[in-house]
Amino acid sequence: MSESSRAMSRRNLLVAGGAVASAAAATSGSSALARADEALRGPDRGDGAARARIDVHHHFTAPAWVDWAEREGLVRREELPWWARWDLDATLAMMDKAGIATAVLNPTMQDRYRSPAQAKEGLTIVLEALTGLVAAYPGRFAFLGPALMDHPDVTPWALRRALDELGAVGVGVKANYHGVYLGDPSYDRFLAELDERAAVLVTHPLDLPGGPPGVPTVPGIPNFMCDFLLDTTRAAVNLIRTRALDRYPRLSIVLPHAGGFLPQIATRMEAFGDFCTPPLDAARVRDHLRRFYYDTAAPMAPSGTLVATADAERILFGTDWPAASADIVTDIALPALDADPVLTRHQRRGIDRDNALRLFPALDRTRDPSTK
């Protein structure tokens, strides 16, 4: 078995174990309302026959970009992680089985460029692949423009190209770059440009700062298990601390993996906010927690704390494909979401599609009419 296959197997086992525990907890705590709702769920289950869901957490590594990047010496194909091996046929099969009408593609591997000129060339290839997919499969795909924060002089060009010219529905960005988290003043120009467009910013975590890329912080525990969630949480708290949503009120921010640890530490932030610099008052914490959006990728644990913290209307469906394999998406994540004891049928429909359509109105203009 190859190293990448072993890594994928280990990841599948780890993710599956956590998701099964979440599903079991949800099932054991089902309320009478949730049991009654089960009978009403009907075509919203997502069994492929009725595609309704909108997947806002879908990683995309363009095969054409991999070919180019290998020629440029930026990657070695045989060393790519499993999540960078995106395949169209496997993707469409997963989407159909999961009842996904539209996947919002978030380009990966966009932090490897050595120069601004190379960054523009690589991004041009990625955007050509994305727009080609959107044109070839109407309604099935939309995309985020990647933010090239390692090359700040390229970022304005990238935003214009993706958002203004090619129809990207939002922008993807990492939680931190070289240990500097979203919300830091160095991001102000970037956030201001997004605010002018009333854009959607979708964040994503990676390894915590300070360690070698890809090396577990704690031996035996993959970084995606715990560190990724902390990375997202740090970014969210820093955005709250620096009043980013007040300074850029037209900007919408999506936090992946149900917000990391953010919902679980909401009361802790309210209690100890005075220890931050500048101090965080409890009212501002509560206000900002209800202004972020959160996706279900992980799989998501039972949603009680998140719904109480942020409201179900701020939750969006996400798969984490292909980092999460098809069996994790369809056999673990979706049943756990369907069995969640907190969510009503109306809330599930919102999470599956309606909340995303409100956040990304352009999706409603591009979807296949049969899914409306």
Side-chain angles (χ1 to χ4, degrees):
M1 182 183 291
S2 68
E3 182 62 29
S4 62
S5 297
R6 286 196 297 271
M8 185 171 184
S9 297
R10 289 194 297 268
R11 184 184 193 276
N12 287 355
L13 288 171
L14 286 164
V15 174
V20 166
S22 295
T27 302
S28 64
S30 293
S31 65
L33 176 60
R35 288 194 298 271
D37 182 58
E38 177 72 24
L40 298 173
R41 208 167 297 152
D44 290 335
R45 283 180 53 103
D47 55 8
R51 294 195 303 263
R53 290 185 165 108
I54 295 173
D55 180 8
V56 304
H57 191 139
H58 184 124
H59 299 286
F60 174 74
T61 307
W65 182 89
V66 173
D67 293 339
W68 171 84
E70 190 166 44
R71 292 194 299 270
E72 293 287 311
L74 298 177
V75 302
R76 296 181 63 182
R77 189 182 306 269
E78 65 273 14
E79 296 177 356
L80 288 175
W82 76 92
W83 47 260
R85 302 176 187 273
W86 192 88
D87 176 81
L88 175 61
D89 291 339
T91 295
L92 290 171
M94 182 281 296
M95 291 171 62
D96 286 343
K97 187 175 181 181
I100 295 170
T102 305
V104 180
L105 307 179
N106 191 347
T108 65
M109 315 288 282
Q110 297 301 294
D111 56 355
R112 301 193 173 209
Y113 303 119
R114 300 191 184 104
S115 69
Q118 190 180 59
K120 282 189 175 183
E121 184 177 352
L123 182 59
T124 297
I125 292 170
V126 171
L127 292 173
E128 286 177 352
L130 289 164
T131 54
L133 276 171
V134 171
Y137 297 89
R140 300 309 309 270
F141 297 109
F143 68 94
L144 304 175
L148 305 181
M149 303 307 294
D150 290 331
H151 299 284
D153 292 338
V154 177
T155 297
W157 171 84
L159 294 180
R160 287 194 301 272
R161 188 78 179 115
L163 291 173
D164 303 338
E165 299 172 15
L166 298 178
V169 298
V171 173
V173 68
K174 294 194 300 184
N176 85 85
Y177 288 82
H178 308 297
V180 180
Y181 277 86
L182 287 173
D184 185 87
S186 60
Y187 292 93
D188 283 353
R189 176 187 174 189
F190 168 63
L191 296 181
E193 291 191 67
L194 295 179
D195 187 66
E196 288 175 4
R197 296 170 168 87
V200 179
L201 182 64
V202 179
T203 66
H204 199 280
L206 280 173
D207 297 334
L208 296 176
V215 177
T217 304
V218 180
I221 302 177
N223 288 341
F224 64 77
M225 185 70 69
C226 302
D227 291 16
F228 279 27
L229 305 182
L230 178 57
D231 200 37
T232 293
T233 305
R234 285 178 170 179
V237 174
N238 205 43
L239 287 164
I240 296 172
R241 183 185 68 85
T242 58
R243 295 181 178 269
L245 297 181
D246 290 335
R247 292 185 292 120
Y248 307 107
R250 302 177 69 213
L251 174 64
S252 300
I253 299 178
V254 180
L255 303 177
H257 308 126
F261 303 130
L262 188 67
Q264 284 70 37
I265 65 168
T267 303
R268 185 179 181 87
M269 289 175 63
E270 292 177 20
F272 298 109
D274 286 346
F275 288 86
C276 292
T277 306
L280 287 174
D281 63 85
R284 175 153 46 114
V285 170
R286 289 191 294 271
D287 173 63
H288 277 63
L289 289 171
R290 291 181 175 274
R291 290 164 67 183
F292 290 119
Y293 289 84
Y294 306 78
D295 76 37
T296 67
M300 185 177 74
S303 64
T305 300
L306 178 57
V307 170
T309 300
D311 194 274
E313 291 189 355
R314 313 295 285 193
I315 305 174
L316 311 167
F317 177 76
T319 63
D320 216 347
W321 169 268
S325 62
D327 58 331
I328 289 175
V329 172
T330 61
D331 299 343
I332 297 172
L334 296 187
L337 188 60
D338 279 344
D340 194 301
V342 172
L343 301 174
T344 67
R345 181 175 185 270
H346 175 74
Q347 290 171 331
R348 286 192 185 92
R349 180 183 172 89
I351 292 168
D352 280 350
R353 58 185 280 175
D354 292 348
N355 298 344
L357 290 177
R358 284 194 297 271
L359 181 61
F360 300 102
L363 293 179
D364 202 34
R365 296 192 292 271
T366 60
R367 287 186 302 136
D368 183 337
S370 67
T371 67
K372 294 186 180 181

